[in-house]
C-alpha cells in the first residue's frame, strides 16, 4: 500500500529544494499544488491527501524511482489496488476471485519480471483476504489463503532471484524490492492469527528468524530513516519476541522517522496507535513505559 | 390561540429568511473581489478544499481499526 509520507520524503531526499520540488510537480500538473499541502504531507504521517494530489505525487515518485517491473504489470497492480481501496466496492471478493483465475494462467507466460510481478499480485490477493476470513471465522479458507499467499510470494521471490542472476536483464532489482516481498510473506504468517495469539505462534516466529527480518529492517531504516511503517513493524516484532534492546532501538527509529510517535496514542494513516494495539503491550509495559534511568 | 402561535412562528421565519438573504448578499461581492485578486491561487484552493473533503469523507467511512494487521508493501 502506498505510504505517501515516505514517498514525499524519498523525493525530497534527492536533494531538491522546496522550490525545485514544487517545480517538478508543476511539470506533471501545471497548476501545481499548494506548498502548505506539500509541507503538511512531508511533516505529518497522518496527513491525508486528496486523490488527485496523491496521484500527482505518486506519478512523480514513479518517474524518479522507476519500478523494475514492466508497466503492464504495474498497471494491473494499480487497478487492483484501486478496487481494494474503494470502501464502497459492492463485491470485492468476486473481483478477487476473477482476477486470481486470470492470473493463474497469465503468470505462466511472458518476461521473467512480468511473471514475478503477477505472482506478487496473486500473493497480494490472498494476503488481503486473510483479515476478512479471520474475522468471519472461516478457518479453512483462512488456512488455504495463508498457504497460497506464502507460496505465491515464494514463487515471485524465486523468479526475482533468477532475474537478478541473469545477465540478460538490464534492470537492477534493488534490495528494498526483496525486502518488501519478504515482509509480505511475514504478513501472511501474522495476519492469519488473532492479535492475542501472535506472540505464541511457532511458524510465525520461525519465519521471522529465518527471513532475518529485524536485521533487514535495520538496514532499510539506516538508508531511509523516514520509513515509519517499517520502524513500527520492527517494534511490533521486537515486542512479540520480548526483546527489550530491539524494542528500544525501533522505538527510537520510529521517533526519528517522526517525532509525533513520542506520543504512544498517535495514530497515523490507516494504522491504530501503539497504545491501542495489543502487539505492543509487552514493549509498553517493559520498555517504553519505564522512565529513563 | 393556536392560530396566533402559528402567525408568530410565520413572522419569525420570515425575519430569519430575510436576515439570511441579507447576509448572503453582503458576502458575495467580498468573495468575488477576493477571487479576482488571487486568480492563480484558485486551483490550489480547490485542491486544498478537495483534500479537506476527502479527509472528512474517509474519516466518516472508516470503521475504528480494532486489529493491527501488517500492511502489505508493493
Amino acid at each position: 500500500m502506498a505510504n505517501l509520507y515516505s514517498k514525499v520524503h524519498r523525493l525530497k531526499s534527492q536533494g531538491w529544494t522546496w522550490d525545485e520540488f514544487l517545480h517538478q510537480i508543476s511539470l506533471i500538473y501545471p497548476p501545481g499544488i499548494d506548498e502548505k499541502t506539500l509541507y503538511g504531507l512531508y511533516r505529518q504521517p497522518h496527513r491525508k491527501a486528496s486523490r488527485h494530489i496523491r496521484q500527482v505525487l505518486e506519478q512523480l515518485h514513479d518517474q524518479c524511482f522507476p519500478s523494475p517491473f514492466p508497466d503492464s504489470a504495474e498497471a494491473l497492480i494499480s487497478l487492483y489496488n484501486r478496487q481494494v481501496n474503494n470502501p464502497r466496492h459492492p463485491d470485492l471478493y468476486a473481483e478477487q476471485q476473477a482476477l486470481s483465475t486470470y492470473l493463474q494462467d497469465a503468470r505462466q507466460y511472458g518476461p521473467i519480471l512480468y511473471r514475478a510481478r503477477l505472482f506478487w499480485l496473486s500473493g497480494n490477493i490472498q494476503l488481503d483476504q486473510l483479515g476478512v476470513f479471520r474475522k468471519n471465522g472461516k478457518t479453512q479458507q483462512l488456512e488455504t489463503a495463508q498457504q497460497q499467499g506464502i507460496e505465491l510470494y515464494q514463487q515471485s521471490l524465486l523468479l526475482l532471484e533468477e532475474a537478478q542472476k541473469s545477465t540478460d536483464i538490464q534492470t537492477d532489482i534493488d534490495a528494498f524490492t526483496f525486502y518488501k516481498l519478504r515482509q509480505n510473506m511475514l504478513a501472511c504468517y501474522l495476519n492469519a492469527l488473532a492479535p492475542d495469539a501472535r506472540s505464541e505462534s511457532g511458524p510465525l516466529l520461525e519465519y521471522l528468524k529465518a527471513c532475518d527480518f529485524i536485521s533487514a529492517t535495520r538496514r532499510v531504516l539506516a538508508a531511509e530513516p523516514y520509513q515509519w511503517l517499517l520502524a513500527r513493524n520492527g517494534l511490533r516484532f521486537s515486542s512479540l519476541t520480548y526483546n527489550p534492546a530491539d524494542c528500544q532501538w525501533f522505538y527510537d527509529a520510529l521517533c526519528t522517522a517522526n517525532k509525533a510517535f513520542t506520543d504512544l496514542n498517535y495514530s497515523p494513516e490507516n494504522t491504530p496507535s501503539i497504545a491501542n494495539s495489543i502487539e505492543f503491550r509487552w514493549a509498553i509495559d517493559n520498555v517504553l513505559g519505564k522512565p529513563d534511568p | 390561540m393556536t392560530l396566533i402561535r402559528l402567525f408568530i412562528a410565520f413572522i419569525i421565519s420570515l425575519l430569519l429568511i430575510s436576515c439570511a438573504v441579507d447576509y448572503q448578499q453582503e458576502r458575495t461581492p467580498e468573495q468575488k473581489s477576493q477571487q479576482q485578486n488571487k486568480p492563480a491561487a484558485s486551483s490550489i484552493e480547490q485542491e486544498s478544499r478537495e483534500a479537506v473533503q476527502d479527509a472528512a469523507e474517509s474519516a466518516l467511512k472508516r470503521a475504528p481499526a480494532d486489529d493491527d494487521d501488517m500492511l502489505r508493501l508493493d
Side-chain angles (χ1 to χ4, degrees):
Chain A
M1 295 288 180
N3 179 346
L4 204 56
Y5 177 83
S6 296
K7 289 187 175 182
V8 170
H9 270 262
R10 191 179 282 153
L11 286 165
K12 183 74 175 68
S13 67
Q14 295 178 106
W16 287 352
T17 60
W18 286 111
D19 283 344
E20 199 171 350
F21 202 151
L22 289 164
H23 172 67
Q24 292 292 332
I25 289 170
S26 69
L27 293 178
I28 290 179
Y29 178 57
I33 66 172
D34 182 10
E35 59 183 66
K36 283 183 184 169
T37 304
L38 186 60
Y39 295 160
L41 292 168
Y42 180 81
R43 289 185 184 135
Q44 298 168 320
H46 67 268
R47 185 82 173 229
K48 292 179 179 68
S50 70
R51 274 184 293 274
H52 184 62
I53 289 177
R54 175 177 284 273
Q55 200 180 350
V56 168
L57 290 171
E58 286 182 346
Q59 191 181 336
L60 181 58
H61 179 270
D62 293 347
Q63 270 181 21
C64 296
F65 304 96
S67 160
F69 300 104
D71 290 346
S72 53
E74 291 303 273
L76 207 52
I77 290 233
S78 300
L79 199 62
Y80 171 67
N81 284 344
R82 277 199 289 278
Q83 303 286 317
V84 172
N85 294 328
N86 177 7
R88 291 176 190 156
H89 199 293
D91 194 354
L92 180 62
Y93 181 70
E95 300 272 16
Q96 288 171 322
Q97 294 302 107
L99 185 56
S100 287
T101 306
Y102 167 76
L103 291 170
Q104 206 166 357
D105 187 54
R107 66 190 178 224
Q108 306 303 323
Y109 310 101
I112 192 165
L113 287 176
Y114 175 77
R115 291 173 57 214
R117 196 57 162 160
L118 294 197
F119 270 106
W120 189 318
L121 173 56
S122 304
N124 284 354
I125 295 171
Q126 301 302 321
L127 176 56
D128 289 343
Q129 290 177 331
L130 293 181
V132 179
F133 291 150
R134 190 188 74 234
K135 286 172 192 169
N136 290 289
K138 299 193 179 297
T139 315
Q140 189 57 49
Q141 285 167 289
L142 178 66
E143 283 176 15
T144 306
Q146 184 197 30
Q147 196 181 344
Q148 285 183 356
I150 293 167
E151 286 171 7
L152 289 161
Y153 283 134
Q154 188 65 46
Q155 279 296 319
S156 181
L157 187 61
L158 288 172
L159 289 171
L160 279 186
E161 285 170 347
E162 196 181 319
Q164 185 82 321
K165 285 176 196 161
S166 168
T167 49
D168 299 338
I169 310 287
Q170 299 296 318
T171 313
D172 181 43
I173 306 164
D174 60 319
F176 190 45
T177 300
F178 284 98
Y179 175 87
K180 288 189 282 189
L181 195 47
R182 292 195 177 97
Q183 195 250 226
N184 290 351
M185 287 168 77
L186 186 60
C188 285
Y189 284 97
L190 185 95
N191 293 2
L193 298 163
D196 55 357
R198 289 175 178 176
S199 62
E200 293 149 11
S201 166
L204 169 66
L205 300 179
E206 276 171 31
Y207 182 72
L208 178 67
K209 202 174 173 184
C211 72
D212 199 22
F213 179 77
I214 295 293
S215 302
T217 306
R218 282 175 182 252
R219 283 195 294 274
V220 176
L221 285 169
E224 298 191 329
Y226 45 81
Q227 293 269 15
W228 64 265
L229 191 62
L230 310 193
R232 189 179 184 280
N233 280 331
L235 179 58
R236 176 207 302 264
F237 284 105
S238 303
S239 178
L240 290 175
T241 51
Y242 312 126
N243 186 321
D246 282 349
C247 281
Q248 190 61 57
W249 195 93
F250 281 110
Y251 177 67
D252 291 344
L254 193 56
C255 297
T256 302
N258 194 285
K259 64 183 178 187
F261 287 100
T262 50
D263 176 6
L264 296 179
N265 288 300
Y266 177 65
S267 175
E269 191 180 8
N270 299 330
T271 311
S273 73
I274 285 171
N276 281 336
S277 176
I278 193 171
E279 289 160 67
F280 297 89
R281 182 57 50 205
W282 188 88
I284 293 170
D285 291 346
N286 295 279
V287 183
L288 311 183
K290 291 195 169 181
D292 292 334
Chain B
M1 193 65 184
T2 311
L3 280 174
I4 292 169
R5 280 182 180 168
L6 274 172
F7 181 71
I8 291 168
F10 178 67
I11 295 295
I12 291 170
S13 304
L14 279 180
L15 282 170
L16 284 172
I17 290 166
S18 167
C19 287
V21 169
D22 285 347
Y23 179 68
Q24 188 68 27
Q25 283 171 346
E26 278 172 19
R27 276 178 60 89
T28 310
E30 275 178 31
Q31 285 173 337
K32 277 182 184 168
S33 66
Q34 279 175 5
Q35 282 171 1
Q36 280 166 357
N37 289 339
K38 292 195 293 180
S42 61
S43 64
I44 296 172
E45 284 169 7
Q46 192 182 344
E47 290 298 331
S48 301
R49 280 198 298 274
E50 200 185 352
V52 171
Q53 274 177 357
D54 277 4
E57 266 183 37
S58 56
L60 285 172
K61 278 181 284 192
R62 192 181 308 142
D66 49 351
D67 294 341
D68 189 359
D69 285 353
M70 259 173 104
L71 300 176
R72 66 171 155 83
L73 300 175
D74 291 332

